[in-house]
Amino acid sequence: MGMKTKVALGAVVGIVVIGVVSANSGDGGNGGKGGDTSAAADKNAGGSGDEAGKTGGAAKSDAGDKGTSKASQAEQFKAFVAKNGTPKEKAAVAHVLKVQGADQQNDILDSADVYTDFTGGLMGEGSGPSKLIASAFADWKDSKNGLVTVYDADGEIITNGNF
């Protein structure tokens, strides 16, 4: 029985590693750091709004061409939580800057990334609220095999959750 437990544990660890690698593979080649996060941060902070507006407009027009909603994934997520979330979830989701991968699901190995303005990584101030964000994301999207990863402002992983 001990051997079966070790094999099962090894399989679970392997699946989690594959999920993390998959979650980090769709970030444009910058490891979840840098340009993507700072553009979203600049847009929300009111900095260089012209550049951020052009980038956001291109993404919105691409979404419109595919027949999906014109709101960004982050705006859709925030609207869902504003309507259906608890007060603590609403407060946590207010820190969300960007959501990627929520619209691309195939129920095989779905992964989504949520970028926040928290700092400090895994042991930072956003550790508790990021778990609420992951839980709210699971309420918003449903997948047979989904993994949502929440990142801080520096692109460090804060938490993961299934959805």
Side-chain angles (χ1 to χ4, degrees):
M1 176 126 172
M3 185 60 130
K4 290 180 182 179
T5 305
K6 289 179 182 178
V7 170
L9 183 60
V12 170
V13 169
I15 291 171
V16 169
V17 168
I18 290 171
V20 170
V21 169
S22 173
N24 288 332
S25 67
D27 60 2
N30 63 2
K33 297 179 182 177
D36 293 338
T37 306
S38 64
D42 287 344
K43 182 177 178 182
N44 287 342
S48 72
D50 189 50
E51 254 183 75
K54 290 178 184 176
T55 305
K60 288 182 183 179
S61 67
D62 289 343
D65 293 341
K66 295 178 183 176
T68 58
S69 175
K70 291 187 179 186
S72 72
Q73 293 176 43
E75 291 168 347
Q76 293 173 14
F77 178 46
K78 287 180 178 183
F80 173 83
V81 173
K83 183 178 179 184
N84 302 309
T86 66
K88 288 187 178 186
E89 286 176 337
K90 292 175 186 177
V93 170
H95 293 274
V96 171
L97 301 175
K98 183 178 185 178
V99 176
Q100 287 183 316
D103 60 346
Q104 303 167 354
Q105 293 186 356
N106 60 12
D107 285 337
I108 295 172
L109 184 57
D110 298 326
S111 64
D113 299 326
V114 178
Y115 297 93
T116 66
D117 61 1
F118 293 121
T119 58
L122 188 60
M123 301 301 289
E125 66 179 288
S127 179
S130 68
K131 292 177 183 176
L132 289 172
I133 292 170
S135 174
F137 190 92
D139 291 340
W140 180 48
K141 292 290 183 177
D142 190 31
S143 172
K144 292 180 182 177
N145 191 19
L147 178 70
V148 60
T149 306
V150 181
Y151 296 94
D152 71 359
D154 294 326
E156 295 181 32
I157 294 176
I158 303 175
T159 192
N160 289 339
N162 295 327
F163 70 94

